[in-house]
């Protein structure tokens, strides 16, 4: 049997980690959503918090396709407003997978891979920048007109590039923490 192919146990592990990853994304979005300035730095916060989860995941399931599964499942959750978000997240998952494969899942490869994958948390904001009316109408439904007006006033187009930058930074910090946790704690506990 080829150990490089995903097996049933790998798919189960992928599902478990994807549920954990997505639950944390939803929790973070819910907690930050009420405070617009904090919500706008969600890519940084999520990158730091989710980095250890991703790092442990690619350590437990170091096979081609595992990150793409994570990308598809998390992309479905983040793509409520637009299927473009799903495509964006899947493309990032493919790039992250290529980086892992080329670097043979090295520590540096995991850091770079997750830094790229962490940009997936910018996905839901794409609607804000490229389909602003759709995003703002959803804001009015959930939070009211004042919230929509505030977020509209605080989000010039250039902020997208700032969010991508802080997502990369958050991803690097989060994966660095994850790599250290794997080496120090998870391996000792027999988890990684």
């Amino acid at each position: 049997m080829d150990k490089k192919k995903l097996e049933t146990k790998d798919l189960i592990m992928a599902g478990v980690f994807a549920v954990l990853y997505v639950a944390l994304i939803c929790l973070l979005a819910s907690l930050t959503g009420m405070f617009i300035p904090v919500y706008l730095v969600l890519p940084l916060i999520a990158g730091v918090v989710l980095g250890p989860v991703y790092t442990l995941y690619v350590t437990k399931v170091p096979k081609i396709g595992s990150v793409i599964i994570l990308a598809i499942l998390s992309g479905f959750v983040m793509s409520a407003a637009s299927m473009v978000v799903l495509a964006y997240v899947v493309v990032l998952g493919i790039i992250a997978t290529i980086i892992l494969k080329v670097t043979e899942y090295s520590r540096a490869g995991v850091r770079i891979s997750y830094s790229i994958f962490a940009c997936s948390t910018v996905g839901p904001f794409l609607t804000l920048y490229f389909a602003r009316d759709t995003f703002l109408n959803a804001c009015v439904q959930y939070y009211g007109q004042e919230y929509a007006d505030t977020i509209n006033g605080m989000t010039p187009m250039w902020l997208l590039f700032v969010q991508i930058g802080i997502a990369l930074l958050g991803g690097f910090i989060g994966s660095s923490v994850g790599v250290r946790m794997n080496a120090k704690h998870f391996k000792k506990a027999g988890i990684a």
Side-chain angles (χ1 to χ4, degrees):
M1 185 175 287
D2 187 1
K3 292 294 184 186
K4 292 183 180 188
K5 291 185 179 179
L6 288 169
E7 299 170 3
T8 303
K9 67 178 181 130
D10 299 322
L11 294 173
I12 292 168
M13 187 72 68
V16 168
F17 274 95
V19 166
L20 176 61
Y21 194 89
V22 167
L24 285 171
I25 288 173
C26 292
L27 177 66
L28 291 170
S30 296
L31 292 174
T32 61
M34 296 305 293
F35 310 102
I36 295 172
V38 179
Y39 177 60
L40 295 175
V41 295
L42 177 62
L44 173 68
I45 297 166
V48 172
V49 172
L50 297 171
V53 176
Y54 179 91
T55 304
L56 182 59
Y57 175 57
V58 298
T59 302
K60 293 293 284 179
V61 189
K63 297 182 179 178
I64 299 297
S66 61
V67 174
I68 295 170
I69 291 170
L70 180 63
I72 291 169
L73 295 175
S74 61
F76 271 121
V77 171
M78 290 190 266
S79 66
S82 169
M83 292 309 284
V84 171
V85 176
L86 174 61
Y88 168 76
V89 175
V90 170
V91 167
L92 290 175
I94 292 168
I95 294 168
T97 298
I98 292 168
I99 292 167
L100 287 170
K101 177 69 176 160
V102 168
T103 63
E104 297 177 354
Y105 289 79
S106 68
R107 288 181 180 184
V110 170
R111 284 185 176 112
I112 295 167
S113 169
Y114 182 63
S115 295
I116 298 299
F117 191 74
C119 291
S120 65
T121 58
V122 176
F125 292 101
L126 294 177
T127 309
L128 171 61
Y129 298 110
F130 297 108
R132 189 170 287 267
D133 290 339
T134 303
F135 188 94
L136 294 175
N137 287 337
C139 287
V140 169
Q141 280 184 314
Y142 290 108
Y143 301 113
Q145 187 64 48
E146 185 178 340
Y147 182 93
D149 291 341
T150 303
I151 204 164
N152 187 38
M154 294 180 73
T155 53
M157 186 64 176
W158 57 262
L159 189 62
L160 172 63
F161 301 105
V162 172
Q163 287 181 310
I164 291 170
I166 64 174
L168 289 166
L169 176 63
F172 184 78
I173 293 168
S175 61
S176 295
V177 169
V179 165
R180 277 191 229 110
M181 286 174 72
N182 267 356
K184 251 186 173 177
H185 304 293
F186 295 146
K187 284 189 180 173
K188 286 180 186 176
I191 298 171

